[in-house]
Amino acid sequence: MKKTKRIISFTMAVLFFALPALASQPKYVFYFIGDGLGASQRQFSEFFVREKNHNPAQQLLMNRFEVAGLNTTYAADTLITDSAAAGTALASGVKTNKGVIGKDPSGKDVKTLIEAAEDRGIATGIITTTRLTHATPAAFASHNISRNNENEIAEDFLTSNVDFFAGGGIRHFIPKGMVEKNADAVGKTIKSKRKDDKNLVKGFEKKGYKTFIGMKGARDFNTTEFSGLDKVFAAFTYTHMPYEIERTSIYKEVPSLSRMTRAAIDVLSKDPEGFFLMVEGGRIDHAAHANDPTGVIHDTIAFDRALEEAYDFYQKHREETLIVVVGDHETGGMGLGMDSMGYKLDMSCLMDTKVSVEDTLAYGKGQYKGDKEAYLAFLRENFGLSDLNETEKSGLAKAMASADAGETAGYYKVNPAALTAAHILSNRANINWTTTIHTATMIPMSATGKGAERFSGYKDNTQIAQAMAGLLDFNL
């Protein structure tokens, strides 16, 4: 009898101390990751919004959260990380080598926050503006020695039990030989990158997912009532989704990051156990790789608008919701200010840009292909580069001659005329880029909601995931 009483007393004590801890846990978690989103990218985008809206006090939502901090980003084998190692650190709290997804440096699988949430019966979602199988989203629901094994990563997604997927990169989910001309959401041909006959889209459908594929899927997505769905797989584009600057002006039927976030909330919030949702603004990084100032700005603003959807939900569930905003690394070495223009930034010169550097000037319809006058006319009409001064004309002439000779520029070997145009526009605004790759610069973090105070201060990126796991009582 005494033994029974001791057991009852012990159980009651455990419950007494555990209940307050459980009560302090958020039920709904939003994990926003801006790929390449450093302090300069955040601040410069805010300056642009102020200039555009003639409101010198306006702030991005991410810059208004009451909890803030700084995060280091280095990988296990290099001080300048890539998105695979950084994504793994943010997803699992473990340092790994550059290029590795969801594994430690020895090759052992590490548990992710998404997987821990699923172990607890919590609904999960992954959203990105890149290919779904790209490094950051992959790090949350896959384990692979190389980020380049995107076909294998796609198979991991099928068995991951994540409830909501939305992004680009349909090419890794369809069987070899499959071709549909002009069928993706930006009018490109859908074709497979797989080497086998596996149709993963059909696999998702067999598991009860409502699928949204290509242009038809994009149109249906924009008119669907998601509160009636339990599982969603959406892949709108052959590769990455379009840059926001072109999505809003050219590809208007492509769902925005905020629309995808709203849909995910409608699906996941029905789960009585709550949800864990990772949202990536992936093309901020790509724009910075191309040293594209307006590409960075518009995708950062789109990321902030998606954050507004989460914040609206938080306003209705203030005692149950946590929002954390981080970056995986800085890209481009973006500096705000150069000697040439002194103590000022000129945002006005960025207002007339209509296209991206990478998708249009480097590889799209605005690419320089030998016709100098046509290229200069395109820049005047679409990239805001009118009234070129002699230095700018000379720089473009040299770049076009370099392109004519078959030369490339930057780490990723882009068309030199495109990169030069990006630098001219940047110089006019008084922006300087030190590189076309990543840097080791610390990343700003901001948070609000239940348990947000745990994320403040100076932390390594692994400590963000560890703090989240501790708050949620997850076993990583």
Side-chain angles (χ1 to χ4, degrees), residues 279-301:
V279 180
E280 185 201 23
R283 304 222 70 189
I284 301 167
D285 169 69
H286 296 172
H289 275 297
N291 292 175
D292 179 356
T294 48
V296 165
I297 287 167
H298 287 278
D299 268 78
T300 301
I301 293 170

Side-chain angles (χ1 to χ4, degrees), residues 332-343:
M334 188 183 196
L336 307 185
M338 298 184 293
D339 285 348
S340 58
M341 288 179 65
Y343 292 90

